[in-house]
Amino acid sequence: MRTALRYGMAMLVALIVVGTASAAPVDEPLPDPAQEAVARAIMEDVRCLVCQNQAISDSNADMAQDLRAIIREQVVAGNGPDEVRAFLQERYGDWVLFDPPFSMRTFLLWYGPFIFLGAGALGMYWSARHRQTEKAGVSDSAPRSKKSITSVRAPSPMMIVAFACGLLLLAIVMYVQLGQWNVADRPAAGGSTTDQDSEMAARQQELQNLMAALRARLESDPDSEEGWQHMVRLASGFSDYGAVAQAYGELARLNPGEAQYLIGQTEALIRRARGMVTPAARLVMHQAAELEPGHPAVRYYEGLWQLQQGDELAALDVWQALLDDSEESDPWVPQLRSEVAKVKARRAPPAAGVEISPETMAQVSSMSQEEQLAFIESMVARLRERLESTPEDVEGWLRLARAEEQIGHIPDAVDALTRAREFAGPDRTSFIASELRRLQVLMDSQP
Amino acid sequence: MRPLYFVPLLAFVALAVFFMVGLGLNPKVVPSARVGKPLPSFSMPELYDETTILSDDDLRDGRVKLLNVFAEWCVPCRVEHPLLMALAERGTVIYGLNYKDEAPHAKRFLAELGNPYTRIGQDKEGRTGIDFGISGVPETFVVDGEGRILYQHIGPLNREAILENILPLLESGGS
């Protein structure tokens, strides 16, 4: 559960901080499953440049998405795994590969242990032989004391060689038992989290300093429009929606004719109230409506307010009317449509085929965390219901497993994976097996 | 005592030194695979005139220069910006790579903080950035007159990096 919340929060922060970056590249599986399998296999061996202990296949970083898109493009263009790896290596060096290739530079990495073992064995062999000749020399020339007998006794060279071989054999046996030849090594996750946490803290500190400087500047110059614009962006990065709302309020004061700042203030107030349309937010949005009657955002939040008052019918009326007045190309249409569908679905018995569409996901990310969790849980329950009637839908089970994991229901995720395994083709079995192993580890680490 | 008795001790000390150094390294720093190699080929529309193209050939002009990766949405870029302005003031040629940004945003950023760049290419998709092997924004490259990458600085520039690593390269003419 905590991880789900953390994940959600990280997504939210990432959305806001990177919000102004241009649209993310398409991050969808390739239509050809064989090509997708090739691409995925490459991705699992490529280290993410941002969150370095993750492979790019399971990183949400922007850069990892870009690299995934590039890998898929290259696979489609007919490049084999080696060519794709060479492409990445040219840019980021051996470092990007979890399985670095053998070269002069990595020689010690691969053969170091054997060299040390060999050197140790040689050293022991040499010293043993040396002592034996010494002992022989001593016994020839003079009678030995009791003490010197014990101290001089050395193992025979044969014994040392046998010992070294035994050690080597033991290492090999242990590796066969515990290690996996084809699985990429990753440093323990525990250490890196604290490392990331401290880095996060440092970055937070840096932002905080910027914010303090900005606050001071605005205090002496409260009519600086630029300054308040910055405050909006910085405070959003902190998820400090109180400050965002204040900054928008000042911007609205400086630009009395413009509704957009009042809308911004409304949205910030709603975010601060974790998605609830508060009386204060309504007050501001009605000011915006006076400037710009029928503003779609105001109508949307009016509908949301109705919904939160428990009046689903009124909310549907408002939203449906807004949809009717909107052009198909308006940016809010897909989200609004899915929201309307959601309310309708809640009023009607669950539909047979529930899909978690990208629109729905986008809409989920705009909800408060409680709403999000409740909504995801209901979606997950419906997905499971549908899969019970079409159990051969392997991808469906995998999706369910991922969703269950996100909301912290690890045993249910394991169950879904087990169901997926029943019908999985040979191209998916190894993936499912590795997922099962991963979840097993997760379960063991959680009390 | 024979000198050979010290071999294990010396081996141990050598290993210990390796490990000590290793512990002190920053695992976050992505080693620069591009340093010492020629620029990747690129062609980007210019920020202030999208009909003009900034290409790798433009950087092979016989002068040592900087190439700075920046974006309006990147907060550390604001931190390093005054240093870039100071470098530009002392005559350093700085090319800008505007990474995954929107032109109006980038222009606003430069209008507000000043424009230290000789020319700026737009890398809207972020592909050129990846060709350069960047792992984030900002990053700064020193490029010599023949278009070889001499140095890569990861993260916001700071006074020490400029004084110790960048200025000597700029002043030596890159040879």
Side-chain angles (χ1 to χ4, degrees), chain A residues 52 66 73 91-92 230 233, chain B residues 27 72 100 112 131 134:
Chain A
Q52 307 189 339
D66 288 354
E73 270 170 34
R91 280 151 187 79
Y92 293 106
H230 274 312
R233 243 167 297 151
Chain B
E72 185 266 352
K100 291 183 106 180
E112 181 196 337
D131 283 341
I134 67 165

Side-chain angles (χ1 to χ4, degrees), chain A residues 371-389:
Chain A
E371 280 180 306
Q372 233 175 41
L373 270 178
F375 175 62
I376 293 173
E377 268 171 37
S378 76
M379 290 292 287
V380 166
R382 267 182 284 169
L383 181 59
R384 179 177 283 280
E385 214 167 278
R386 199 206 66 191
L387 285 168
E388 292 294 350
S389 56

Side-chain angles (χ1 to χ4, degrees), chain B residues 5-6 31 33-34 46 60 65 95 117 123 138 150 169:
Chain B
Y5 286 161
F6 290 104
R34 281 289 191 192
E46 271 210 62
R60 297 196 184 91
K65 81 269 309 162
Y95 285 86
Y117 304 110
D123 181 21
L150 301 178
L169 284 173

Side-chain angles (χ1 to χ4, degrees), chain A residues 289 292-299 322:
Chain A
E292 216 175 291
H295 192 294
V298 177
R299 293 171 73 182
L322 176 56

Side-chain angles (χ1 to χ4, degrees), chain A residues 243-261:
Chain A
V244 178
Q246 188 212 350
Y248 270 125
E250 296 288 341
L251 284 167
R253 174 178 64 80
L254 295 168
N255 303 279
E258 287 185 48
Q260 52 157 324
Y261 296 118

